[in-house]
Amino acid sequence: HADIAMYSAKKLGRNNFQFYTPAMNDEAQERVRIESALRKALERDEFVLHYQPQVDLASGKIVGMEALIRWQHPELGMVPPMRFISVAEDIGLIVPIGAWVMRTACLQNRAWQDAGMGHLRVAVNLSARQFGSPDLLDNISAVLDESGLDANCLEIELTESLFMSDVTLAVELLHNMKAIGVNLSIDDFGTGYSSLSYLSRFPIDVLKIDRSFVTNITRDASDAALVASIINLAHNLKLSVIAEGVETEEQLDYLRRHGCDEMQGYYVSRPLPALEFELLLREHNQLADDKILLTAGAN
Ligand code: C2E
Ligand code: MG
Ligand code: MG
Ligand code: MG
């Protein structure tokens, strides 16, 4: 019956539209809607970056931020990245979207630096397709040139899964990225399946402890042990370590006691639109300077 339905849709001259059969579930329908809306989103300027502060535990100051994409669609509303990033990967849109993210994040960071907000670092997430794209290195260089941002003020977040298909190629790419001068971090560290040996072979700067471990620090002894071990592992390898998803004072205390370098999470702030981030940044770092901020090394 699907064939007949498709045929009548064609007869109606609507063959350039996606046709839904009753058998297609809601998820598949939503996927089709997201795909076609996504194809127009860049030119319609529907993406925006939100910024989540990254706090240095020794000084209590905001030293950087992670740029997180948001998609505001007129009908679909705010579509979270989890619902469209993988779609964008599948239909080949992640490369231009990723380039937009990188450019916007660097221009914004440079604008904040020019406004006297400090030598901030901005982190952007890289997807698998972008990692394999032949334009990646040129894009990074071009964006740094255009924005005038120091390479060491840009951090690229990678996930372990990116390395798995071709380790030799990955090592080469990472070295080429390091040659440009950007920082490299491993996002969601601890959730991937790759071997630890890559840590010593790859020119990585930062480990980001996955939120799933941080969430249970104060409730689950083995997660607490894992987090402490990751911090030690990072430091033994001369890497810096940041915990993501920190929501409570107790979690923060644990991380500080175990020598974690930085933190990111709702405890300090959700990801914010640029203007709100800027206000938070000014206020927070002023308080940190005045040493009234509780997050500044109380121990
Ligand atoms: P991620 O890179 O691990 O980003 C952290 C996610 O955790 C963000 O979700 C952030 O809002 C959320 N988060 C931060 N602190 C807390 C906390 O204290 N509690 C809880 N419950 N959540 C917290 P978001 O923004 O929805 O992004 C989800 C994922 O989508 C990201 O995970 C990243 O993998 C991907 N993503 C976001 N922006 C981009 C982008 O520009 N490019 C690519 N390729 N992927 C992106
Ligand atoms: Mg990330
Ligand atoms: Mg993460
Ligand atoms: Mg995560």
Side-chain angles (χ1 to χ4, degrees), residues 48-271:
V48 63
L49 293 184
H50 284 190
Y51 298 89
Q52 186 174 38
Q54 299 180 324
V55 173
D56 172 55
L57 293 187
S59 67
K61 281 190 153 192
I62 295 172
V63 291
M65 55 272 168
E66 179 173 2
L68 293 152
I69 195 169
R70 300 290 180 261
W71 178 21
Q72 181 65 61
H73 185 269
E75 282 124 44
L76 299 170
M78 193 66 102
V79 189
M82 285 312 203
R83 270 173 59 204
F84 72 86
I85 291 291
S86 65
V87 181
E89 288 236 350
D90 292 347
I91 62 177
L93 279 179
I94 196 66
V95 170
I97 292 173
W100 178 87
V101 169
M102 186 106 57
R103 178 173 183 268
T104 307
C106 288
L107 288 170
Q108 179 62 74
N109 191 14
R110 180 59 202 242
W112 279 328
Q113 293 191 5
D114 288 346
M117 317 290 282
H119 199 68
L120 298 165
R121 182 192 63 218
V122 69
V124 299
N125 294 281
L126 206 73
S127 82
R129 278 270 201 117
Q130 274 177 286
F131 190 64
S133 155
D135 300 334
L136 179 65
L137 295 167
D138 286 346
N139 274 341
I140 297 173
S141 301
V143 155
L144 290 172
D145 266 4
E146 182 193 357
S147 62
L149 189 72
D150 277 355
N152 68 4
C153 293
L154 174 62
E155 185 168 297
I156 312 264
E157 296 193 0
L158 311 145
T159 53
E160 292 160 278
S161 60
L162 300 195
F163 312 145
M164 293 177 55
S165 56
D166 188 339
V167 176
T168 318
L169 182 72
V171 173
E172 190 188 323
L173 253 171
L174 294 179
H175 276 107
N176 290 337
M177 288 163 84
K178 278 313 294 176
I180 296 175
V182 298
N183 293 298
L184 302 177
S185 63
I186 307 287
D187 203 355
D188 307 333
F189 183 75
T191 59
Y193 296 100
S194 47
S195 103
L196 284 180
S197 68
Y198 75 82
L199 283 179
S200 57
R201 284 193 291 147
F202 289 10
I204 297 297
D205 304 288
V206 182
L207 297 187
K208 295 194 76 175
I209 306 174
D210 190 65
R211 168 158 54 97
S212 59
F213 303 117
V214 175
T215 303
N216 294 319
I217 277 179
T218 50
R219 289 197 300 258
D220 181 327
S222 53
D223 277 353
L226 271 175
V227 166
S229 306
I230 294 173
I231 295 169
N232 284 331
L233 174 70
H235 288 162
N236 289 335
L237 292 168
K238 309 263 185 289
L239 306 178
S240 160
V241 60
I242 178 167
E244 61 178 19
V246 179
E247 295 186 356
T248 70
E249 174 97 52
E250 290 72 31
Q251 292 164 350
L252 177 60
D253 282 345
Y254 183 90
L255 292 163
R256 198 187 276 133
R257 276 188 280 119
H258 289 82
C260 191
D261 302 301
E262 292 181 22
M263 65 80 86
Q264 175 181 346
Y266 294 172
Y267 183 70
V268 170
S269 172
R270 289 177 177 263

